[in-house]
Amino acid sequence: MRASRLIKMVLLLQSRREMTAAELAAELEVSERTVARDVAALSEAGVPVYSDRGRTGGYRLVGGYRTRLTGMGRSEAEALFLSGVPAALRDLGLADAASAARLKVSAALDPALRDVHDSTAQRFHLDAPGWWQTPGTPPLLPALADAVWSDRRVDVRYRRRDAEAEVERRLEPYGLVLKAGLWYLAARLAGPAEVPEDRQWRVYRVERFGEVAVLDERFRRDERFALADFWADRAAGFARALLREEVTLRLTDRGTRRLRHVTDRRAAEEALADGVVDDRGRTTVTLRVENEEVAYSQLLGLGPECEVLAPEPLRTRFAESARRTAELYTTWPLS
């Protein structure tokens, strides 16, 4: 493990020229004290690692030193070939470039590893869209991808959900995200400075853009921005914002086990954590839901394992559904 970590440290310093102890510790998932010990070990082994002391100091390789420890093992090559998403690369217009890159990597590999691409492709495939969805490439996606790559501002027309009119915006496009077969743009408003910082950052569904004009004007990226962290935070916030209403349920033991499989998993786990068990082993919970219609369609899947206690209109609806269902099965023999 330590040998692998030392190699990774050398490669990091070779690619980034200089890194602080904190940065190396974060990359290697160790403490700064361990980083210092590893640097000392590299120096003893003849790797010229130089330390700049002080608050802004860090570590760097001296004299243009470059390691020859760049050969790939089979597992590393397999991970590299597995990391591409063919559909996404095609949508972004990068399929040919990705193919050329794979050929170059294959040519550089040890002859014993030349079969890695084919063997990996035959064993793993990522199908990003959800079930019952027909994937399609938004026509304006390539233009947005070009703006993202080149850090250029864009003027757009965008149709909000359930809105007929389009709004006009000037955006700084930071990144694109493919979620369940749909493309989203993470961007910052390039408008008036009086807009609060937390409201400058937006997420747009790419297929709702009516027009995209890539400008010659470049923007300076905020170095603090991390696309993966931004998306995770916004996605979690979006999911929470959807759950605006509450329903009260009484669940059997089987119902408690199945609840997280028919509704929002996080909401179900939060509800069950605060549930109250009665003397008959049934659990009463308060569950956050999107609305009554969604709750009705989801909770029907629990059948008799779930009793809706509130709100009253939803309870009445389930009672009527149960009555009608019972009528279907009390008619015997079948006509």
Side-chain angles (χ1 to χ4, degrees):
M1 288 292 291
R2 191 188 189 198
S4 175
R5 190 173 69 240
L6 292 175
I7 293 173
K8 185 175 181 180
M9 178 181 288
V10 174
L11 292 175
L12 283 169
L13 292 174
Q14 181 174 300
S15 62
R16 303 189 189 180
R17 296 187 179 180
E18 184 171 355
M19 298 180 68
T20 65
E23 290 171 339
L24 282 169
E27 288 281 356
L28 300 172
E29 298 181 347
V30 296
S31 67
E32 293 187 29
R33 181 173 295 181
T34 299
V35 168
R37 287 198 296 263
D38 286 351
V39 167
L42 287 173
S43 296
E44 291 175 3
V47 178
V49 182
Y50 179 78
S51 172
D52 290 319
R53 300 187 180 279
R55 290 175 53 191
T56 60
Y59 297 103
R60 60 186 174 87
L61 295 174
V62 179
Y65 175 87
R66 299 189 67 82
T67 178
R68 295 181 180 180
L69 299 173
T70 54
M72 282 190 179
R74 174 170 289 275
S75 61
E76 294 168 326
E78 288 171 345
L80 177 64
F81 284 120
L82 184 60
S83 63
V85 183
L89 294 170
R90 183 182 62 248
D91 289 350
L92 294 172
L94 297 174
D96 291 341
S99 177
R102 285 192 293 268
L103 288 173
K104 290 179 180 179
V105 172
S106 296
L109 289 174
D110 183 275
L113 302 179
R114 297 285 170 81
D115 67 326
V116 166
H117 175 245
D118 291 335
S119 64
T120 302
Q122 294 303 321
R123 286 168 172 79
F124 299 98
H125 173 67
L126 175 61
D127 185 8
W131 290 106
W132 305 292
Q133 291 184 4
T134 302
T137 303
L140 297 175
L141 178 62
L144 287 170
D146 179 63
V148 168
W149 279 117
S150 58
D151 294 337
R152 296 183 185 274
R153 290 190 170 97
V154 292
D155 283 339
V156 303
R157 286 192 294 106
Y158 184 76
R159 176 177 52 81
R160 294 171 175 165
R161 185 175 61 178
D162 301 328
E164 296 182 1
E166 293 180 331
V167 297
E168 296 183 354
R169 294 284 186 269
R170 176 163 292 184
L171 304 175
E172 296 176 350
Y174 268 68
L176 288 161
V177 176
L178 178 62
K179 169 70 172 180
L182 297 175
W183 283 97
Y184 295 87
L185 175 72
R188 184 166 64 179
L189 292 175
E194 62 267 15
V195 177
E197 173 71 18
D198 60 338
R199 296 186 59 189
Q200 292 178 8
W201 297 94
R202 306 285 177 88
V203 173
Y204 299 89
R205 192 158 157 173
V206 172
E207 64 182 15
R208 292 186 185 151
F209 284 109
E211 182 179 331
V212 173
V214 181
L215 308 178
D216 291 333
E217 181 181 353
R218 294 181 181 271
F219 64 92
R220 182 185 295 274
R221 294 179 68 90
D222 187 338
E223 297 299 329
R224 299 169 298 175
F225 179 83
L227 181 58
D229 294 341
F230 172 82
W231 177 258
D233 180 67
R234 289 304 173 99
F238 176 74
R240 288 193 300 269
L242 285 178
L243 307 178
R244 301 185 181 93
E245 300 182 18
E246 292 182 344
V247 297
T248 304
L249 314 173
R250 184 184 290 135
L251 303 164
T252 65
D253 183 59
R254 186 180 181 190
T256 60
R257 294 196 305 270
R258 293 184 55 199
L259 182 63
R260 58 177 56 86
H261 300 295
V262 300
T263 187
D264 181 85
R265 178 176 291 271
R266 182 175 298 179
E269 291 174 349
E270 291 176 354
L272 292 171
D274 296 328
V276 177
V277 182
D278 63 19
D279 55 3
R280 296 176 56 185
R282 300 173 303 177
T283 304
T284 299
V285 301
T286 299
L287 176 71
R288 293 185 297 117
V289 296
E290 187 172 347
N291 54 51
E292 182 177 312
E293 186 65 35
V294 171
Y296 177 75
S297 63
Q298 291 176 339
L299 297 174
L300 272 179
L302 295 179
E305 313 303 330
C306 169
E307 178 188 358
V308 175
L309 302 179
E312 188 61 33
L314 184 60
R315 178 179 173 84
T316 301
R317 188 172 180 181
F318 268 89
E320 174 64 16
S321 176
R323 183 190 64 79
R324 293 173 57 193
T325 301
E327 287 179 355
L328 290 176
Y329 290 93
T330 54
T331 303
W332 191 266
L334 297 176
S335 58

